[in-house]
Amino acid sequence: MKAVVVHKNGVIKYEELDLPLMTKNTVKVKIKACGVCRSDIPRILNNSAHFYPIVLGHEFSGIIVDKGEEVKNVDIGDHVAGIPLMPCYECENCKNGDFALCKNYKFIGSSVQGAFADYIVLPQNNVFKIDVNIPFEQGTLFEPSTVALHAIFKSNFSKGKRVAILGGGTIGLFVLQWAKALGASEAVVVGRDKSHLQIASKLGADKVISTLDYNNIFDDETLIEVGKYDFIYEASGAEEMIRWSFLIANAKATICMIGTPTNGIMFPGKQWEIINRKELNVVGSWMSYSSPFPGMEWKMTNEFFMNKKLKYIPEMFYKAFSMKDADKAFNLFNSGEKIKGRVLLKNDM
Ligand SMILES: [Zn+2]
Ligand SMILES: [Zn+2]
């Protein structure tokens, strides 16, 4: 088969590669589409791959073309989305059903070979059967949707409340959709990029705010009503948003941290103290799994993609490339071009 192989930092070749052997518990998937995740970029261009040569790619969809004799969950011909986490199932956290917190996990496209290839061979637990009416492009959105729903679960979301989503990227857009679908009375999305915010409006945001329109979000009182939101989802990882999340929170609000900061965060004492004064509930959310593996996050994504309560709008995708042009897709992230949505790699269908 052909695969996109990263040989060393910045050196990518589309070349022949041997497929791993099947075992009685594995399936072989013909990859149809795979998203280029922001987390892949440092692995390609910034020396942060676990090993070389490596095939990346963890947000994928495809068709089962072969299966081992003990595979029961799926059949040849089934359409599937990839489940990238390979937990050990044996550590204390796995035994509690907290698979994302596994102490010995592997991850497809990071610690094991990924899906930027013609085929991938995986344990049957690492594919999720999806409805045949779900386009393969949309199939690559299972993972981000489940990450968003996991945060909704971790925050003990309840309906009829006001919700603020900080960050208008793919995760933020899915948190928005889940919050609305599950009964938020109002949902506002605050982000920078206006093209993302336009998509947020189409997906049902009651209000969108671009921080680019304000000099200082802490000073501008017209920006948003301070102290109004009961559930706040921080999906940007940006320092000012993390600090600001406490300010816009209602008393006893829950703030769920999803974004991973890339820089340090400095809190003036007065801002940190808001956690005490409002008796805030600050919770973290990591990946997208619950028990039984892979969890309700995955079942509900399939259901809500099917009944269209989670909308599929092609504008969420910015550009698609054929696998053989993977280097062009990766270089896009280094070109200074504004990337307005997701980038996909596809095999000819
Ligand atoms: Zn990802
Ligand atoms: Zn484990």
Side-chain angles (χ1 to χ4, degrees):
M1 69 159 182
K2 289 269 204 226
V4 178
V5 183
V6 183
H7 281 269
K8 58 181 184 181
N9 199 47
V11 179
I12 301 141
K13 287 184 191 154
Y14 182 65
E15 63 187 10
E16 280 299 325
L17 192 75
D18 288 336
L19 198 64
L21 294 175
M22 300 273 303
T23 67
K24 56 190 182 198
N25 267 313
T26 55
V27 294
K28 179 177 173 184
V29 181
K30 171 148 187 53
I31 304 291
K32 288 292 190 175
C34 187
V36 179
C37 178
R38 292 266 166 184
S39 71
D40 289 325
I41 302 307
R43 293 176 184 136
I44 298 161
L45 303 173
N46 226 338
N47 277 313
S48 70
H50 278 283
F51 57 89
Y52 297 107
I54 186 168
V55 179
L56 302 170
H58 59 268
E59 299 170 354
F60 58 98
S61 60
I63 300 179
I64 306 257
V65 291
D66 197 4
K67 64 171 202 169
E69 66 218 40
E70 282 180 16
V71 171
K72 304 215 167 59
N73 308 348
V74 283
D75 246 314
I76 291 171
D78 282 351
H79 293 196
V80 293
I83 301 169
L85 182 72
M86 293 176 164
C88 75
Y89 302 103
E90 278 166 13
C91 72
E92 194 186 330
N93 292 337
C94 282
K95 285 196 169 136
N96 283 331
D98 295 319
F99 301 107
L101 310 182
C102 173
K103 293 172 178 172
N104 310 300
Y105 72 90
K106 291 179 180 162
F107 199 82
I108 294 170
S110 163
S111 47
V112 295
Q113 301 289 12
F116 292 148
D118 288 341
Y119 297 94
I120 190 167
V121 172
L122 293 173
Q124 60 172 329
N125 273 4
N126 287 93
V127 290
F128 189 87
K129 183 179 172 180
I130 67 175
D131 190 83
V132 288
N133 295 313
I134 296 173
F136 288 112
E137 290 84 350
Q138 190 180 12
T140 67
L141 295 173
F142 262 73
E143 212 255 342
S145 166
T146 60
V147 167
L149 183 54
H150 189 68
I152 296 271
F153 289 160
K154 288 289 142 190
S155 65
N156 282 321
F157 177 81
S158 56
K159 62 183 178 186
K161 305 284 187 175
R162 291 180 171 135
V163 176
I165 295 125
L166 309 183
T170 310
I171 304 292
L173 293 174
F174 272 109
V175 174
L176 162 71
Q177 292 202 74
W178 281 115
K180 290 296 282 187
L182 298 175
S185 64
E186 183 192 327
V188 56
V189 179
V190 185
R192 282 160 64 89
D193 193 308
K194 292 188 179 176
S195 54
H196 287 161
L197 294 173
Q198 274 172 7
I199 298 174
S201 297
K202 281 196 184 171
L203 292 174
D206 296 291
K207 187 176 177 185
V208 296
I209 297 166
S210 170
T211 53
L212 295 176
D213 292 338
Y214 299 84
N215 284 330
N216 183 344
I217 59 173
F218 292 92
D219 288 349
D220 202 310
E221 299 196 340
T222 60
L223 176 62
I224 196 168
E225 221 180 294
V226 163
K228 174 173 165 180
Y229 294 91
D230 303 300
F231 288 97
I232 296 158
Y233 297 92
E234 204 305 304
S236 74
E239 180 185 5
E240 63 169 8
M241 292 287 219
I242 292 172
R243 290 200 282 124
W244 194 55
S245 65
F246 299 161
L247 210 67
I248 63 173
N250 196 355
K252 304 201 121 181
T254 296
I255 299 174
C256 185
M257 299 296 180
I258 316 169
T260 42
T262 47
N263 293 309
I265 296 162
M266 273 288 292
F267 277 92
K270 280 265 171 272
Q271 280 174 20
W272 185 258
E273 186 193 285
I274 296 173
I275 303 177
N276 316 32
R277 281 184 179 274
K278 292 185 182 174
E279 297 193 344
L280 298 180
N281 188 25
V282 181
V283 298
S285 182
W286 189 242
M287 298 204 270
S288 62
Y289 304 92
S290 57
S291 187
F293 189 83
M296 208 44 170
E297 293 88 342
W298 295 77
K299 278 191 185 155
M300 282 178 68
T301 292
N302 192 45
E303 194 184 308
F304 279 59
F305 275 167
M306 263 158 56
N307 65 23
K308 300 196 163 57
K309 284 186 191 162
L310 290 182
K311 294 192 193 100
Y312 173 54
I313 54 170
E315 293 104 300
M316 282 183 86
F317 293 100
Y318 176 57
K319 275 184 184 168
F321 296 84
S322 157
M323 288 276 176
K324 68 174 171 6
D325 295 323
D327 54 334
K328 289 184 195 147
F330 300 150
N331 285 329
L332 208 61
F333 290 85
N334 235 5
S335 66
E337 180 170 334
K338 260 186 84 187
I339 300 174
K340 302 172 189 163
R342 299 176 67 74
V343 175
L344 269 187
L345 290 182
K346 285 185 184 178
N347 280 314
D348 299 329
M349 305 221 181

